[in-house]
Amino acid sequence: MKRLASGWKVSGIAVGFVPTMGYLHAGHISLVHNARQRVGSKGQVVVSIYVNPTQFGPTEDLAKYPRDLAHDKKLCREAGVDVLFVPSNAQMYPEGYSTYVIEEHLSQAMEGASRPTHFRGVTTVVSKLFNLVLPDVAVFGAKDFQQAAIIQRMTRDLNFPVKVVVAPTVREPDGLALSSRNKYLSPIQREQAVILRQSLQHARNAVAGGPVQATRLLDEVGKRIATASEARLDYVEFFNPKTLEPATVVKRGTQMALAVFLGKTRLIDNATL
Ligand code: AMP
């Protein structure tokens, strides 16, 4: 990968990059098309598939995270991906590995609070991937809003010469955000998973008439989620989309994010209200 990337650099070929954990779906492929548009037909589009152990907590789903490399290859080929980069754990974290990249501010709340070592793993692996692929543009999904904000901050803070693009969330017809983890849902959980999107919609409608106290909306969303038998709320947050600072008063333009367990499966979603 490094040899290819250095060759492209020397030849002035633009490189677009989409890092993923595989088990690809139409959300990932929309990022591939976005990258292609940005680098053009003469550019190179690289997708990485790596289920990064350092971003999983000890009790999380690392071992059973879904994998289907044959299907991923097919989707990448159809989408016109030039290079599929699938490194191994031994290559990414050789024996004695001891260096990590930590963003210290935006990583504290929400996903960072629920999954304490998660973003340290994300920023570390994305730094490594940036150094291997040498992309001009890297495309991330708005579905992982906090992750995208942290990657943008890290890229600025560490002077990576990469343009970070955040592309819109691709959804199922009923509004559920596409996710590799949707595969874990039982039929009843899948049915109830629309509660995430409905909660975002509820908040959006609530603020359409004017600003609302965050505590009131938290209460309403909590009650709504409690009506779904398989659902358990992990968190709901209202915040400034640029700074991620929590909002006490929620209005149009405030960002809302939530994490909900459906059985053992934890799903996240977010939207600008
Ligand atoms: P993952 O494989 O879940 O780590 O995701 C890899 C990239 O795809 C991340 O930048 C995600 O934000 C993005 N992504 C995941 N799901 C979606 C979706 N439904 N729509 C758009 N992008 C997505």
Side-chain angles (χ1 to χ4, degrees), residues 60-61 64-65 109-116 118-119 143-144 146 179-182 184-185 189 196 232-235 258-269:
E60 291 179 0
D61 56 346
K64 69 176 180 88
Y65 194 83
M110 297 186 276
E111 290 301 289
S114 288
R115 308 177 68 191
H118 173 65
F119 286 124
K143 175 172 164 267
D144 298 276
Q146 187 182 13
S179 165
S180 309
R181 289 187 168 100
N182 292 350
Y184 300 143
L185 301 172
Q189 290 167 350
L196 284 95
R232 181 169 61 79
L233 182 62
D234 184 8
Y235 68 76
L258 75 170
V260 176
F261 281 97
L262 285 136
K264 285 189 178 126
T265 304
R266 185 172 172 282
L267 300 181
I268 60 172
D269 204 345

Side-chain angles (χ1 to χ4, degrees), residues 66-132:
R67 289 163 170 89
D68 187 348
L69 189 56
H71 188 242
D72 291 348
K73 279 185 183 169
K74 180 167 175 284
L75 290 187
C76 285
R77 202 174 286 125
E78 286 166 4
V81 171
D82 297 297
V83 173
L84 181 54
F85 177 45
V86 189
S88 68
N89 285 335
Q91 289 168 324
M92 291 300 269
Y93 298 106
E95 216 177 299
Y97 187 92
S98 58
T99 307
Y100 293 87
V101 175
I102 302 173
E103 191 288 323
E104 297 195 332
H105 182 63
L106 305 176
S107 309
Q108 302 299 318
M110 297 186 276
E111 290 301 289
S114 288
R115 308 177 68 191
T117 56
H118 173 65
F119 286 124
R120 166 187 184 263
V122 171
T123 42
T124 298
V125 82
V126 172
S127 300
K128 289 168 64 65
L129 291 167
F130 279 4
N131 285 331
L132 290 163

Side-chain angles (χ1 to χ4, degrees), residues 19-22 25 27-28 31 65 140-141 143-144 147 168-170 178:
T20 82
M21 299 205 298
H25 50 63
H28 297 114
L31 308 186
Y65 194 83
F140 293 82
K143 175 172 164 267
D144 298 276
Q147 166 175 280
T169 302
V170 177
L178 297 190

Side-chain angles (χ1 to χ4, degrees), residues 122-123 126 130 140 147-156 164:
V122 171
T123 42
V126 172
F130 279 4
F140 293 82
Q147 166 175 280
I150 291 166
I151 297 295
Q152 281 176 318
R153 176 66 60 89
M154 174 192 86
T155 303
R156 187 201 72 177
V164 174

